[in-house]
Amino acid sequence: MASLRFGALLLLHFTFVLRMDLSDQLDDNKIPASLCTGQPGIPGASGVHGSPGQPGRDGRDGRDAVQGEKGEKGDRGDTGETGTRGLTGDRGDPGDKGERGQAGECAVSPKSAFSAKLSEGHTMPIAVGEAIHFDKIMINEQGDYNTETGRFTCKVPGVYYFAVHATVYRSSLQFDLMKNGHAAASYFQFYGNWPKPASLSGGSLLHLVPGDQVWIQMALGEYSGFYSSAKTDSTFTGFLVYSDWKNAAVFA
């Protein structure tokens, strides 16, 4: 046992001496680092990505919170400034031409006119208060004058002109221009037993509405000197000056 312990100590001493000797030799042969520059080493390869981890567990559902109270309405914001006007767009292309419309009706102005005279064989004298029947029609295209009654009946509202030309013979003459039973104008001509007839003319403008009637009526029995012959006539004429109808496309 003692011999083994001595051998171990001897081996340890020998190893220490040898290391000291080698250390001194290395120190003697050591070259400064500034004189020994080596090449850089080759970079190592990138490591391999690890595999994805396992999915985590599903979270637990939270409890529903109590609904909050409705907030107060906010103040209305100020009106924004008006923006600048945009640029005018380009003019569009002309549209397709439409189909031709139907021909329109032509506006026709209202008409009303007549002229009649006493026939040569007219019986005289004429009773007071009766309409004189100018029984020979010269024009009455609208049929507004009636020879049987001697009265003009208005169909077109407006202003009319009526005129009477009377040949006065054998007696003085006075007659009235009547409108709906009232004298609108009166005319008189004295006759003095002259050898030739005299004449009496008169006229007036009257405003009429549909249904109004106009006629000539004797005023006094002793003044009924209407006369008619082949060379001297007594006439009653009336015509529309202008109508009250307005903005009508086609007049009746």
Side-chain angles (χ1 to χ4, degrees):
M1 184 68 178
S3 60
L4 292 174
R5 185 178 297 175
F6 176 78
L9 291 173
L10 182 62
L11 180 60
L12 180 62
H13 175 74
F14 179 77
T15 301
F16 177 77
V17 173
L18 181 61
R19 291 183 61 184
M20 289 293 295
D21 185 59
L22 290 175
S23 176
D24 291 338
Q25 291 180 2
L26 290 175
D27 290 338
D28 293 340
N29 294 329
K30 190 175 182 180
I31 300 173
S34 60
L35 299 179
C36 297
T37 303
Q39 296 293 330
I42 299 172
S46 300
V48 179
H49 291 291
S51 59
Q54 295 181 356
R57 295 180 60 187
D58 294 337
R60 297 178 61 186
D61 294 334
R63 296 181 60 185
D64 294 335
V66 178
Q67 185 175 1
E69 297 180 358
K70 186 175 181 180
E72 297 180 358
K73 185 177 181 180
D75 297 335
R76 184 173 182 177
D78 297 335
T79 303
E81 297 180 357
T82 303
T84 57
R85 185 174 182 178
L87 300 175
T88 303
D90 297 334
R91 184 174 182 178
D93 297 331
D96 297 334
K97 186 175 181 179
E99 298 180 359
R100 185 171 183 176
Q102 298 179 355
E105 296 180 350
C106 179
V108 179
S109 61
K111 299 178 181 180
S112 180
F114 77 95
S115 186
K117 64 181 180 179
L118 292 175
S119 61
E120 299 174 17
H122 201 281
T123 303
M124 293 296 178
I126 302 173
V128 176
E130 291 185 1
I132 300 175
H133 295 192
F134 293 84
D135 56 335
K136 192 171 183 179
I137 294 295
M138 290 183 285
I139 185 171
N140 189 30
E141 294 181 354
Q142 291 75 38
D144 295 341
Y145 176 76
N146 189 331
T147 58
E148 296 182 0
T149 63
R151 301 188 181 198
F152 168 85
T153 302
C154 173
K155 296 179 182 176
V156 179
V159 174
Y160 290 78
Y161 181 74
F162 295 94
V164 178
H165 174 78
T167 299
V168 182
Y169 190 54
R170 298 175 182 169
S171 173
S172 298
L173 177 61
Q174 182 174 2
F175 62 85
D176 295 333
L177 177 64
M178 306 295 293
K179 174 186 174 183
N180 297 333
H182 301 281
S186 296
Y187 306 93
F188 175 78
Q189 173 63 50
F190 173 76
Y191 180 75
N193 294 321
W194 303 311
K196 293 183 180 181
S199 64
L200 171 61
S201 296
S204 180
L205 285 168
L206 297 178
H207 185 273
L208 305 179
V209 296
D212 285 347
Q213 289 188 330
V214 177
W215 65 91
I216 302 300
Q217 181 173 296
M218 299 304 300
L220 295 173
E222 61 270 27
Y223 299 143
S224 58
F226 263 112
Y227 182 76
S228 180
S229 68
K231 296 295 183 180
T232 56
D233 289 314
S234 294
T235 62
F236 180 32
T237 299
F239 56 86
L240 176 66
V241 179
Y242 60 85
S243 171
D244 290 341
W245 279 337
K246 297 178 180 179
N247 301 326
V250 177
F251 298 99

